[in-house]
Amino acid sequence: MSNMGSEDDEKRLVGSKAADYVQSGMRIGIGTGSTAYWFIQALAQRVSQEGITIEGVATSKATVRLCRNLGIPMESIDRLDHLDLDVDGADEVNPQGQLIKGGGGALVRERLVARAADRFLVIVDHSKLVEDLGQFPLPIEVVPFAWKTTASRIADLGVEPELRKPQGKAFVTDNGNYILDVKWGPITDPEAVYRTLKLTAGVVDAGIFYEFSPTVLVANGRKVEERR
Ligand code: 5RP
């Protein structure tokens, strides 16, 4: 426990804590990323050890695989479009509970799943809390066959979109699209920026989640605090 308090430890702490919000019989949205990973581990433990009955809808193919391997029953969003709870991470959270998401490239499914849920529980370590969104590069999912022209339309807004290219190869989302990452700087009106991007031809979705009023669980050192 000597490193307790590092971001990784906080992710583990808050992810595990989130499993307490799940009740037997619930339909659960299950997020993507390294914080959601710990939620999934704790949830799987409750399924196998306590025998709680749940159905999950995943926000990515990676999450489907992980959940199935751990014995969590999974359904597709099209078959289960009303969820009791969605638990997911975030890249940034402002004081209004607005988010940047999509660091893992799952923003399209993450929004679909969050919108289907009665309650949205966002799980973060304290480094994700910001005054204004926009320090973290904003992920924008775009159609691959016109990514350059889409990038230049976005650049007309005065920013510099960069194609996500881990190991030199374009990152392809679960939906077969590309991601442009944009260092935006302070986003003081997240809804306006989101709407502008959504109206840009070639944009599939942008990682500004302005429209939710999530419960935010924040780990800070050894403590987990619930906000809102
Ligand atoms: C994936 C996401 C993740 O929720 C976000 O990137 C946070 O990830 P992590 O918990 O690994 O820090 O939006 O698309």
Side-chain angles (χ1 to χ4, degrees):
M1 300 283 268
S2 56
N3 285 331
M4 200 66 190
S6 75
E7 279 160 26
D8 285 347
D9 291 331
E10 289 181 359
K11 286 177 184 208
R12 180 177 188 153
L13 189 65
V14 73
S16 309
K17 177 78 186 161
D20 296 348
Y21 286 70
V22 176
Q23 290 166 16
S24 195
M26 277 186 165
R27 297 161 162 203
I28 308 285
I30 305 181
T32 297
S34 55
T35 317
Y37 170 86
W38 291 112
F39 167 65
I40 295 165
Q41 296 294 332
L43 182 62
Q45 234 181 11
R46 292 201 59 203
V47 169
S48 67
Q49 291 177 9
E50 290 174 39
I52 64 164
T53 314
I54 57 140
E55 274 180 299
V57 171
T59 52
S60 64
K61 291 182 181 173
T63 291
V64 176
R65 275 195 300 275
L66 179 60
C67 289
R68 290 220 164 106
N69 285 341
L70 292 170
I72 299 173
M74 300 302 288
E75 252 310 346
S76 73
I77 180 99
D78 259 353
R79 296 196 45 168
L80 214 63
D81 62 358
H82 180 207
L83 306 171
D84 299 290
L85 177 72
D86 176 34
V87 180
D88 204 346
D91 300 301
E92 283 185 344
V93 184
N94 74 10
Q96 294 74 42
Q98 296 170 310
L99 318 170
I100 285 188
K101 285 187 56 53
L107 60 148
V108 167
R109 295 179 192 217
E110 288 175 333
R111 187 185 305 279
L112 277 167
V113 172
R115 285 209 183 163
D118 289 341
R119 187 175 188 193
F120 186 19
L121 182 65
V122 172
I123 50 176
V124 288
D125 65 84
H126 79 281
S127 73
K128 308 286 184 66
L129 300 181
V130 296
E131 208 43 51
D132 288 313
L133 303 179
Q135 272 282 97
F136 187 91
L138 175 63
I140 304 173
E141 183 157 337
V142 299
V143 293
F145 51 86
W147 76 266
K148 284 186 187 161
T149 160
T150 308
S152 74
R153 280 168 213 249
I154 294 170
D156 289 343
L157 301 169
V159 292
E160 289 177 24
E162 267 187 41
L163 183 66
R164 189 177 294 183
K165 259 176 144 183
Q167 283 105 42
K169 248 189 112 195
F171 174 89
V172 179
T173 70
D174 284 350
N175 318 307
N177 297 315
Y178 288 172
I179 298 277
L180 300 173
D181 291 305
V182 182
K183 288 186 186 129
W184 206 281
I187 300 174
T188 51
D189 189 345
E191 179 172 354
V193 173
Y194 179 72
R195 286 186 184 280
T196 303
L197 288 169
K198 273 294 272 192
L199 289 173
T200 303
V203 168
V204 177
D205 205 0
I208 297 180
F209 283 43
Y210 73 88
E211 73 271 48
F212 302 97
S213 291
T215 301
V216 182
L217 265 192
V218 187
N220 199 338
R222 291 163 191 251
K223 287 203 200 111
V224 177
E225 187 193 337
E226 182 185 307
R227 304 196 170 186
R228 304 154 63 87

